[in-house]
Amino acid sequence: MFRPLELFIGLRYTRAKRRNQFISFISIVSIICITISVMALITVMSVMNGFDDQLRSRILGAISDATVSGLPGESVQNWQYALKVVEANPHVKGAAPYVEIQSFLQGQRSSGAIVRGIDTALEPKVSDINTHMVAGAFDSLKSGDWNIILGKDLAIQLGVNVGDQVTMVVPELRATPLGAVPRVRGFKVSGIFEVGMEEFDSGLGLINMGNAEKLKSIDGPTGIRLKLDDFYNARSVVGELANTLGRQVYELTTWMDSHANFFSAISMEKKVMFIILSLIILVAVINLISMLMMLVTDKQADIAILRTLGSTPRSIMGMFMVQGVLVGFVGIGFGVTLGSLLSWRLPGIVKWIEHLTGYTFLSPDVYYISEVPSKLDWHDVTWVALITFAFSLLATLYPAWRASRTQPAQALRYE
C-alpha cells in the first residue's frame, strides 16, 4: 500500500468526487486566489524595485557616491595627497576634484544655480553627465575659454541655448575703488545636458575647474568626488578614508547623507505595499480554511472509521494538512511563475497597452521616468513564496486539529 498513509489519503481527498464537487470548487478558488495574490505582490514589488533603481541610477549619475571636502569655505588642504590616498583605496573606482559655487545666472531671464567647476578628463570617472548631453560638447570646458554647460531645464528658465551668453554673479564681495562688489563674469553656453532629475536639470551648471578657482579666488578644489565599487558600502569606505586622512582637516560625506530621506521614503513605500498585498494573501488563506473546514465536516464518517482502525489524532491531522499544503504549494508555484513572467515582460506589456489604447500612463511632459520600470529581485520572490507557504501551513492547523478531535461513536451514530 502507498506510504505514508497520511499523504495517500490527503492526496485522494484533493480529487473531486460526485459528492464533494463544491468542496473541489472552493479548493480551485483558493488556488486561484493564492496565485493572483502572489503574482500581484511579486509584480508590484518588481515595479517598486524598478523605480528605486531608476531614481538611484539617475541621482548617482549626477552626484558622487562619496565626497572628500575641505572645511566650510576653504579648499581641500594638500588635495594632491588626499587624491592619492583615496585612489589607493581598493573600493574607489574613480576620483575627481571639483569646485562648487553658489551663483546667480542671468540670460534673457535669471535664476539661481549651483555651478560646479570640473576637470572634463576626470569627471567621467565619477558621474555620467557626459553621456546625457542633448546639445553641444562635454569636453568644451577648457581653461580660459569661459564656457558653461547647463541643465536643460535651467537653460529653458534662462531662455538661452548653445552659443548664447549668460552672466554669472558670485555672491562673494571683492574690494574695488567703487566699494565692495560681487564677482561678475560672462560665459558662453557650450552645451546642455539632461539627466532626468529636476534637482540637476534645473539647478546645475558646469564650468572648467580652473575658471572656478579664479572666480572664488582659491588655489585648489573645494572637494574630491568619489566613485565606489559598491555604493551601498559608502559609509564603511568613508570611515576607512577618515581614519587615514583625519577628520580634523577633511570632511567626508556619502550620497546617503544628502539623499537618505528620499530613498528611505521609497523603501518605506515598498514595505507598506508588501504589507497591504500580504493582506490579500490572508483573504486567500481564509478561503483555504473554509475549504478545509467543509472537507472535515464532509469526511466525518471516514475519519471515524480511520480512528477505529487505529489511526492516531496526529495521523488524522497529517491527512488534512497535506491537502492544505498542496493547495498552497500549487498556488505559490503558479503565482511565482506568472508573477516572474509578468515582471520580466511588464515594460513591453505596458507599451503594447499604450499603443493599443492611445493612452500614456507616464507622460514624458509630466514625469521624469516616462516608462514603467520593472526589476525582478529573486530575494523578494523567495520571501513572498516562503511567507505565503507559511500562511498556507498555518491555515491547515485548526481544521486538521478539529478533524483529529472527531469522536468515532458520535460520527457513526447515524451511519
Side-chain angles (χ1 to χ4, degrees):
M1 186 176 178
F2 187 89
R3 292 290 188 273
L5 180 63
E6 294 83 357
L7 181 60
F8 171 74
I9 296 178
L11 292 175
R12 180 168 181 153
Y13 281 167
T14 61
R15 289 176 288 180
K17 296 292 184 65
R18 186 178 300 275
R19 290 194 312 159
N20 60 359
Q21 289 288 337
F22 184 66
I23 296 175
S24 298
F25 172 75
I26 296 179
S27 178
I28 293 173
V29 170
S30 299
I31 292 175
I32 293 174
C33 289
I34 292 175
T35 298
I36 294 175
S37 302
V38 171
M39 180 178 68
L41 186 52
I42 291 175
T43 303
V44 169
M45 294 188 70
S46 296
V47 172
M48 295 295 292
N49 289 335
F51 276 109
D52 179 79
D53 185 67
Q54 283 285 324
L55 292 171
R56 196 182 301 274
S57 63
R58 294 191 183 203
I59 289 176
L60 296 181
I63 68 172
S64 56
D65 296 345
T67 302
V68 178
S69 56
L71 299 177
E74 300 180 8
S75 60
V76 179
Q77 296 185 23
N78 197 4
W79 70 271
Q80 293 91 344
Y81 163 75
L83 185 62
K84 291 181 180 179
V85 170
V86 298
E87 287 180 333
N89 190 291
H91 298 290
V92 177
K93 296 175 59 179
Y98 72 97
V99 175
E100 191 162 283
I101 305 173
Q102 294 282 351
S103 65
F104 183 80
L105 299 179
Q106 177 71 49
Q108 294 185 18
R109 295 178 292 273
S110 59
S111 176
I114 294 176
V115 175
R116 184 185 298 160
I118 63 172
D119 185 332
T120 54
L122 298 177
E123 186 66 17
K125 294 182 178 181
V126 298
S127 74
D128 59 1
I129 293 181
N130 60 305
T131 64
H132 293 281
M133 298 295 297
V134 295
F138 180 77
D139 57 2
S140 61
L141 303 179
K142 299 178 181 179
S143 181
D145 286 353
W146 301 102
N147 291 330
I148 188 171
I149 296 175
L150 302 174
K152 182 179 178 180
D153 292 344
L154 179 58
I156 293 174
Q157 292 174 22
L158 297 174
V160 297
N161 209 329
V162 174
D164 294 337
Q165 295 288 325
V166 296
T167 301
M168 176 176 168
V169 180
V170 181
E172 295 182 5
L173 301 179
R174 61 175 179 172
T176 68
L178 300 177
V181 296
R183 294 184 176 89
V184 180
R185 178 72 203 191
F187 285 85
K188 178 182 178 182
V189 179
S190 61
I192 295 175
F193 66 84
E194 182 181 18
V195 299
M197 289 297 295
E198 182 184 10
E199 177 181 355
F200 309 111
D201 291 342
S202 65
L204 179 64
L206 303 176
I207 63 176
N208 178 268
M209 190 173 74
N211 293 340
E213 291 177 10
K214 294 177 183 178
L215 282 172
K216 283 187 69 72
S217 298
I218 59 175
D219 183 17
T222 58
I224 301 173
R225 306 170 70 227
L226 310 180
K227 186 72 172 180
L228 308 179
D229 56 356
D230 185 359
F231 55 81
Y232 287 111
N233 294 330
R235 291 194 187 279
S236 61
V237 175
V238 162
E240 295 176 9
L241 294 175
N243 293 332
T244 304
L245 293 172
R247 298 180 186 271
Q248 292 78 17
V249 181
Y250 302 97
E251 182 179 355
L252 292 94
T253 57
T254 70
W255 65 271
M256 299 177 186
D257 299 320
S258 56
H259 293 83
N261 293 336
F262 185 78
F263 290 110
S264 295
I266 295 178
S267 177
M268 181 59 68
E269 289 179 3
K270 181 179 175 182
K271 293 176 181 177
V272 171
M273 290 301 299
F274 182 87
I275 294 173
I276 293 174
L277 292 174
S278 295
L279 296 178
I280 300 177
I281 296 178
L282 286 177
V283 174
V285 169
I286 291 174
N287 286 332
L288 179 58
I289 295 174
S290 301
M291 181 269 293
L292 291 175
M293 289 300 297
M294 294 180 65
L295 181 63
V296 169
T297 302
D298 184 66
K299 299 298 183 181
Q300 286 286 314
D302 292 359
I303 298 170
I305 293 171
L306 289 171
R307 288 294 307 275
T308 59
L309 293 175
S311 295
T312 64
R314 182 177 180 181
S315 178
I316 297 297
M317 285 189 65
M319 296 173 190
F320 288 91
M321 289 181 66
V322 164
Q323 185 170 8
V325 170
L326 179 63
V327 169
F329 186 79
V330 173
I332 292 170
F334 281 118
V336 168
T337 301
L338 296 177
S340 300
L341 289 174
L342 180 60
S343 300
W344 177 45
R345 302 299 300 175
L346 186 62
I349 293 173
V350 172
K351 286 183 179 180
W352 177 78
I353 294 175
E354 290 179 341
H355 177 74
L356 186 66
T357 61
Y359 176 78
T360 303
F361 292 98
L362 298 175
S363 174
D365 298 332
V366 180
Y367 302 99
Y368 284 97
I369 300 178
S370 57
E371 297 181 357
V372 177
S374 180
K375 181 182 179 182
L376 185 64
D377 188 340
W378 290 108
H379 180 265
D380 291 338
V381 173
T382 302
W383 270 110
V384 171
L386 290 176
I387 291 175
T388 307
F389 183 78
F391 283 167
S392 301
L393 182 61
L394 291 174
T396 66
L397 295 180
Y398 180 71
W401 177 80
R402 285 291 301 272
S404 69
R405 300 287 293 177
T406 299
Q407 299 296 324
Q410 294 179 1
L412 297 175
R413 178 182 301 174
Y414 300 106
E415 294 294 330

